[in-house]
Amino acid sequence: MHGQESILVQSLVPFGCGENEYHPIASLFFTDGNDAIKLLFHMHTHTFPVKALILFFLCYIGLATVTYGIAVPSGLFVPSLLAGAAFGRLLGNLAYKISPSEVAFSNTYSLIGAAAVLGGMARMTISLTVILLESTGNEQFVLPLMIALFCARIVGSLFNTDLYHIHIHLKPGVHFLDHELRAISGNHDLYAGHIMSKDVIFVRPVESVGTIYDILSTCDHTSFPVVDTEDKEILYGTVSRKTLMALLQYGKYGLPSSKTYPLQRSIVQNHISLHPDSNYVSLLEYNKLEKEYPSDSSIEDIIVKEEDRELFIDLRPYCNTSPNTVQETTSVKRSYEIFRSLGLRLLIVVNRYNQCVGTITRDDLLPEALAKDMITKGKNV
């Protein structure tokens, strides 16, 4: 008996057996998960019979499925590793009974089985190969491990995606975009104008307090296009919800302008003069605009007086005047890549006159929404 085996023998559980005896099923169920993995990986003799391995595999994979399905934080890495090790050792025992002189020890099958089940669940190849090699410390298993993980990834991908992506898609409110657009969506001649939302909620460069408050109260968008209605409705930029909330919270608004003294048209200014008899409205300090805590407050916490609803806020100093935009003739594939690679929440669609004609959000790029657009050939055509 090797030194490693002599240490692992101490982890075997007697469970009512006589002296110098052990119970194979209890040794797998009533030991720590790390010790059970070591027993399956390193015991060179055929320590566990076929019936014990079958019972342990079925019970463990069943319990792992149930606990993960009810969202109990029990983990899935070690259960997959244990279930795969038990199944691989089971096949090793059967192969040894068929041809005892031509097959490897069952612990080798245990390692390959653990890699296959873990790879089929997580669909990782290189990282799992490194992890399992470090756990065994034997570089001769590089090739069989890579083959097993590659086959598990290919076979699993024929039926569905990996378990973590499936769980993300099942979570309500979590709209996860895959790393690339599906080929059927990208090759269906869809453009940004086909999938965009045409009902655009926007604000003007100089907007009334009541309009901004009503917009924030009725929708939960994180960013809004700024459209200059006095200049052929050209896109001026974008402004975030957080900025609008801060301007309302700190009262950065003033009296309405008169026809005799129109609003200033400069883009960059240090103050805003709305009326010759009124006070200047100073700009909001950066530390207040980008405060870390509390990061964002609710619109219900901001109280706007009725007489203040007719006042105006100059949004020009706070606008992002170079937002990410696409033409309405841009392909869906290109729009998808821009949206996902830049981590956007809002992608503005403009026409050749730089007028905002629609917006694209994460909801518009989901597979279900794209499939509906493919059937109707675009909802805005």
Side-chain angles (χ1 to χ4, degrees), residues 245-288:
M245 297 273 288
L247 293 175
L248 291 178
Q249 185 176 5
Y250 290 101
K252 295 300 179 179
Y253 38 78
L255 297 175
S257 62
S258 63
K259 296 181 180 180
T260 308
Y261 301 95
L263 292 173
Q264 299 179 12
R265 302 291 296 177
S266 60
I267 297 177
V268 180
Q269 54 192 29
N270 295 326
H271 57 266
I272 307 164
S273 180
L274 296 174
H275 195 273
D277 298 330
S278 64
N279 296 326
Y280 290 107
V281 181
S282 59
L283 296 179
L284 185 62
E285 294 82 357
Y286 182 80
N287 57 353
K288 295 181 180 179

Side-chain angles (χ1 to χ4, degrees), residues 46 71 87 178-179 189 209 268 286 290 350 353 378:
H46 297 282
F87 189 76
D178 295 327
H179 64 282
D189 295 332
V209 174
V268 180
Y286 182 80
E290 297 293 336
V350 297
Y353 303 109

Side-chain angles (χ1 to χ4, degrees), residues 3-71:
Q4 179 72 15
E5 287 190 16
S6 60
I7 298 175
L8 292 176
V9 166
Q10 301 176 4
S11 302
L12 298 174
V13 179
F15 199 71
C17 298
E19 188 177 357
N20 296 327
E21 295 181 352
Y22 70 95
H23 197 288
I25 299 179
S27 299
L28 292 175
F29 277 104
F30 300 146
T31 55
D32 185 71
N34 296 329
D35 294 334
I37 292 175
K38 292 178 181 179
L39 290 173
L40 292 171
F41 275 7
H42 298 291
M43 293 297 287
H44 287 279
T45 56
H46 297 282
T47 311
F48 303 103
V50 174
K51 293 182 179 180
L53 293 173
I54 292 176
L55 180 62
F56 178 76
F57 171 75
L58 294 178
C59 291
Y60 216 84
I61 197 70
L63 290 175
T65 304
V66 172
T67 54
Y68 189 78
I70 60 177

